[in-house]
Amino acid sequence: CGRLDGCACEKRSYWFVFSLTLAALVIEALGSWWSQSLALKSDALHVFVDLLSIVVSIYVANRALALALGEDHPRIRRIRGNGGYVNAILLALIGCWILFECAERMFAPRQVFTFSMILAAVIGAYLNYRSHKVLARLGHGHSHITNKALDLHVLSDLWQSVAVIAAALAIWLTGEVLFDLLISAAVAFWMFLQARNLWKSSKKYSQ
């Protein structure tokens, strides 16, 4: 894409990623309901946050296209920086929710059904990997904070799906549902770290 057509390319890519993420949300939400897994439930909620971040990314791309300004223009950088702030806040909020659920389930453990947990997580991981590949190709020509923030959401969800699979295998082998909570808590703290880094990057980019 050329300089002025870049945001149009972004929008097409973001809408495709949106469709993949929506499919992942439906599958993981149904899987978390059936399996009673907190790790998979938090993964599904993170996918929902991904959808919100994609909406933010599409808005930012629309604004940049409407203003018809170059990527290095201060106003465009400020808009993209604000989008990065929003994505960082969303990551932090989902991390807080996961820790709250972990604490609650420590006192009220639930049975976890590992087969549906693994199946939903594997499909979710594949869809998130496809989304990452789309964003990685887009990033070759549009390496700005909005694209990086969205790719960070997708990658964090991909690794969370991998963690869910690991937790399901551990539960299947040992019968100990505590692994579901441990994986969920570990992912939550990782999200806090990523949100912190993204906040710093957004601040630097918008200056």
Side-chain angles (χ1 to χ4, degrees):
C1 297
R3 179 178 139 184
L4 295 180
D5 293 332
C7 294
C9 290
E10 284 185 77
K11 287 198 296 181
R12 288 193 296 269
S13 297
Y14 291 159
W15 278 117
F16 182 60
V17 171
F18 183 91
S19 66
L20 292 174
T21 306
L22 182 60
L25 172 61
V26 173
I27 291 169
E28 292 185 355
L30 291 174
S32 66
W33 172 76
W34 184 264
S35 67
Q36 294 297 305
S37 166
L38 173 60
L40 187 57
K41 185 178 180 182
S42 61
D43 195 7
L45 185 57
H46 189 203
V47 171
F48 175 71
V49 176
D50 287 346
L51 288 177
L52 296 181
S53 70
I54 294 170
V55 171
V56 171
S57 299
I58 292 172
Y59 167 77
V60 171
N62 277 329
R63 290 296 298 156
L65 184 62
L67 293 172
L69 298 173
E71 292 290 341
D72 292 330
H73 193 279
R75 191 169 182 182
I76 297 299
R77 293 177 67 87
R78 186 164 56 251
I79 292 174
R80 294 197 185 282
N82 289 340
Y85 284 133
V86 172
N87 287 336
I89 292 171
L90 292 176
L91 275 174
L93 288 176
I94 189 67
C96 290
W97 181 86
I98 293 172
L99 290 181
F100 176 80
E101 282 288 313
C102 284
E104 187 177 80
R105 290 202 182 196
M106 284 291 292
F107 299 99
R110 301 181 189 179
Q111 183 180 5
V112 175
F113 301 96
T114 56
F115 177 76
S116 55
M117 182 180 175
I118 292 175
L119 181 61
V122 167
I123 297 174
Y126 171 74
L127 292 172
N128 281 293
Y129 175 75
R130 287 287 309 277
S131 295
H132 166 64
K133 296 298 289 184
V134 171
L135 293 170
R137 286 196 300 269
L138 180 65
H140 291 318
H142 307 282
S143 183
H144 48 64
I145 194 64
T146 304
N147 190 61
K148 290 178 181 177
L150 183 55
D151 197 26
L152 179 60
H153 274 282
V154 171
L155 281 174
S156 62
D157 196 56
L158 171 60
W159 284 111
Q160 186 169 341
S161 295
V162 173
V164 169
I165 295 170
L169 291 174
I171 294 169
W172 178 67
L173 290 172
T174 66
E176 181 56 69
V177 296
L178 182 62
F179 286 106
D180 189 49
L181 304 182
L182 292 176
I183 292 295
S184 299
V187 171
F189 283 111
W190 186 78
M191 287 183 187
F192 290 142
L193 178 61
Q194 295 303 311
R196 175 175 171 270
N197 292 338
L198 181 55
W199 186 275
K200 288 184 175 180
S201 297
S202 299
K203 183 177 181 179
K204 181 179 179 180
Y205 191 88
S206 59
Q207 288 177 346

